[in-house]
């Protein structure tokens, strides 16, 4: 078997293990006693900021920056930074879940 295909299969196996454990990462975590009010307040804030309001603002920002890039008013590096920031904003929950599951695998 070719060494590159062996590495590809190993990488695929590692990714599948990572993805299957990431789904169960939040099930094993429990909130501290008495934090129900704070948790629900943060969940409301997260839902508000990552819901319709954030989606509309991100669409307007990407459209405005894209138009400015096409007309030469700003450079492409700044435009890519805005798009990358939108990916990080909307993918933050998945990123944190992945980091949390990776940290718990080592224990």
């Amino acid at each position: 078997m070719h060494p590159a295909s062996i590495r590809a299969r190993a990488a695929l196996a590692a990714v599948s293990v990572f993805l299957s454990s990431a789904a169960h990462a939040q099930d094993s975590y429990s909130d501290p006693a008495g934090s129900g009010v704070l948790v629900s307040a943060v969940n409301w804030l997260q839902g508000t900021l990552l819901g319709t309001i954030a989606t509309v603002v991100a669409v307007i920002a990407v459209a405005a920056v894209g138009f400015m890039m096409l007309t030469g008013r700003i450079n492409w590096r700044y435009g890519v930074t805005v798009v990358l920031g939108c990916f990080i904003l909307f993918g933050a929950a998945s990123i944190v879940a992945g980091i949390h599951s990776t940290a718990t695998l080592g224990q």
Side-chain angles (χ1 to χ4, degrees), residues 5-101:
S5 66
I6 294 172
R7 281 181 277 191
R9 287 183 185 201
L12 183 63
V15 168
S16 65
V17 168
F18 173 73
L19 291 178
S20 65
S21 64
H24 300 290
Q26 293 193 1
D27 292 338
S28 63
Y29 180 74
S30 62
D31 297 322
S35 66
V37 176
L38 293 175
V39 170
S40 57
V42 170
N43 285 336
W44 173 83
L45 184 63
Q46 178 186 7
T48 302
L49 292 178
L50 294 179
T52 308
I53 296 170
T55 305
V56 169
V57 170
V59 167
I60 291 171
V62 169
V65 168
F67 182 72
M68 291 172 68
M69 286 181 349
L70 289 175
T71 58
R73 294 183 183 173
I74 62 172
N75 62 7
W76 285 83
R77 180 176 283 181
Y78 179 72
V80 171
T81 304
V82 170
V83 173
L84 184 65
C86 290
F87 277 116
I88 291 173
L89 174 70
F90 290 112
S94 300
I95 293 169
V96 170
I99 292 171
H100 181 69
S101 67

